[in-house]
Amino acid sequence: MTAISFEFFPPKTDEQREQLHAAAQRLKSRSPEYVSVTFGAGGSTLSYTGETVKQLRERHALSVAPHLSCMGGTRAEIAQLLDGYRQHGCRRIVALRGDLPSGMATPGDFRYAAELVRFIREHSGDYFHIEVAAYPETHPQAEDALIDLKHFKAKVEAGANGAITQYFFNPDAYFRFVDDVRKLGVDVPIVPGIMPISNFTQLKRFSDGCGAEIPRWIAKRMQAHGDDTESVRDLGAEVVAQLCRRLLEGGAPGLHFYTLNRAKATEAVLSRLDL
Ligand code: FAD
């Protein structure tokens, strides 16, 4: 069976909290292996991540993996979070560098995610299953694509058990990335991150920020649908389902959905797949 997982972000308002719980309620019927909760760099959502993890475990009985980004954090703060997640029964962590919020001058005790992974192993031994981030289209700040692959390998050597990719729409980028890191001796599972499409303007903004390429043909088709959201959703679901099919046929070990705390677009993709 294909392992699926869902990513949520910590809600900040009552309305967002309702939305998260409604999405979790619907998506848990898809039997995810786990769900993950993102972490805002610089401590802005520190408490919200922990609280959201607790809520998803207690209200929905889900297995939850907190994201932990080290940028701006100290060793003592990270150790405290790890101990707290352990007390809450979490067995999986998504370990990231994060990005330095504008105006924040100090990167804290860690410079790169590999250092965080090493620290988690030093502090918690093998207790946590650690996922790290992977970039089939190269991390936007990387010096070059080959050096980026080596930096990815360093995270696995530091103790990561698996990776989740940044989202992408070109399956060849994923297959090439996996082939390249296998040649470097990396053998952990690399799960593609999947971004369901529901709002093209928002998707374009995200993609510009994180360096994910939207193929021209998809952008053109989406733009042609204008504000006709129902048809954008249908087209988006079909395009993303086709991507998932190709990834699974090509050997991807699972699918990790960026849900943006909404169930509909993710369900539209899942209902088109024969999992
Ligand atoms: P790293 O692996 O440390 O890499 C960052 C950059 O540094 C790369 O360009 C790499 O090539 C370079 N690098 C690495 N090591 C070295 C070295 N030794 N010397 C020189 N250069 C080096 N962000 C959040 O803030 N919160 C989240 O919850 C979150 N969740 C995410 C989940 C997933 C699945 C993904 C793919 C990304 C997520 N992000 C999140 C975004 C992520 O934090 C950013 O992309 C960030 O810029 C890089 O994080 P990283 O862990 O990949 O960093």
Side-chain angles (χ1 to χ4, degrees):
M1 212 171 89
T2 305
I4 55 170
S5 49
F6 300 121
E7 182 169 311
F8 297 118
F9 64 84
K12 291 187 182 153
T13 63
D14 286 345
E15 195 187 338
Q16 286 183 355
R17 266 183 279 279
E18 294 271 306
Q19 193 181 68
L20 169 72
H21 289 298
Q25 184 64 35
R26 281 168 63 169
L27 289 172
K28 75 179 173 189
S29 67
R30 303 281 175 170
S31 308
E33 185 184 15
Y34 69 96
V35 300
S36 76
V37 181
T38 61
F39 182 102
S44 64
T45 64
L46 262 177
S47 56
Y48 292 111
T49 301
E51 183 54 32
T52 307
V53 167
K54 197 162 164 264
Q55 290 268 319
L56 288 168
R57 280 179 63 82
E58 288 174 1
R59 273 180 71 171
H60 301 285
L62 287 161
S63 169
V64 190
H67 292 208
L68 190 50
S69 49
C70 58
M71 194 57 116
T74 64
R75 288 172 162 258
E77 285 164 352
I78 301 284
Q80 201 182 355
L81 283 171
L82 290 170
D83 295 344
Y85 290 138
R86 192 170 175 155
Q87 265 173 14
H88 281 127
C90 298
R91 297 299 309 245
R92 187 186 294 254
I93 296 269
V94 184
L96 305 141
R97 185 195 70 175
D99 293 302
L100 205 58
S102 55
M104 188 185 263
T106 160
D109 288 347
F110 303 89
R111 283 168 311 160
Y112 300 109
E115 295 170 7
L116 173 63
V117 174
R118 207 167 295 121
F119 179 73
I120 298 174
R121 288 291 175 233
E122 272 166 35
H123 184 78
S124 309
D126 285 337
Y127 183 82
F128 292 109
H129 177 106
I130 304 176
E131 304 283 353
V132 289
Y135 301 86
E137 294 179 337
T138 306
H139 184 265
Q141 290 156 8
E143 217 175 304
D144 73 43
L146 297 180
I147 293 179
D148 203 33
L149 294 175
K150 290 187 182 140
H151 292 152
F152 173 72
K153 182 183 177 186
K155 295 194 274 197
V156 177
E157 286 175 342
N161 304 98
I164 305 168
T165 75
Q166 180 58 279
Y167 70 86
F168 55 87
F169 295 102
N170 177 356
D172 292 336
Y174 170 82
F175 293 126
R176 165 62 65 176
F177 178 84
V178 173
D179 281 354
D180 286 348
V181 298
R182 297 287 180 248
K183 281 182 203 142
L184 292 177
V186 173
D187 61 2
V188 300
I190 298 169
V191 174
I194 304 295
M195 179 65 89
I197 304 175
S198 54
N199 177 324
F200 185 65
T201 312
Q202 189 187 47
L203 176 71
K204 199 162 165 351
R205 201 179 56 238
F206 279 164
S207 304
D208 289 345
C210 68
E213 187 184 50
I214 305 177
R216 185 179 153 86
W217 71 269
I218 297 181
K220 288 280 178 198
R221 287 290 189 88
M222 290 288 165
Q223 278 154 359
H225 284 269
D227 292 332
D228 185 355
T229 52
E230 207 48 55
S231 61
V232 165
R233 266 196 222 108
D234 272 356
L235 173 64
E238 197 39 57
V239 166
V240 176
Q242 175 68 18
L243 169 69
C244 294
R245 276 183 224 114
R246 286 195 55 194
L247 291 168
L248 294 173
E249 281 159 18
L255 299 170
H256 179 82
F257 287 88
Y258 295 105
T259 70
L260 307 180
N261 292 5
R262 291 175 190 276
K264 204 171 171 181
T266 298
E267 283 176 332
V269 175
L270 285 171
S271 65
R272 286 168 164 81
L273 299 176
D274 183 22
L275 293 180

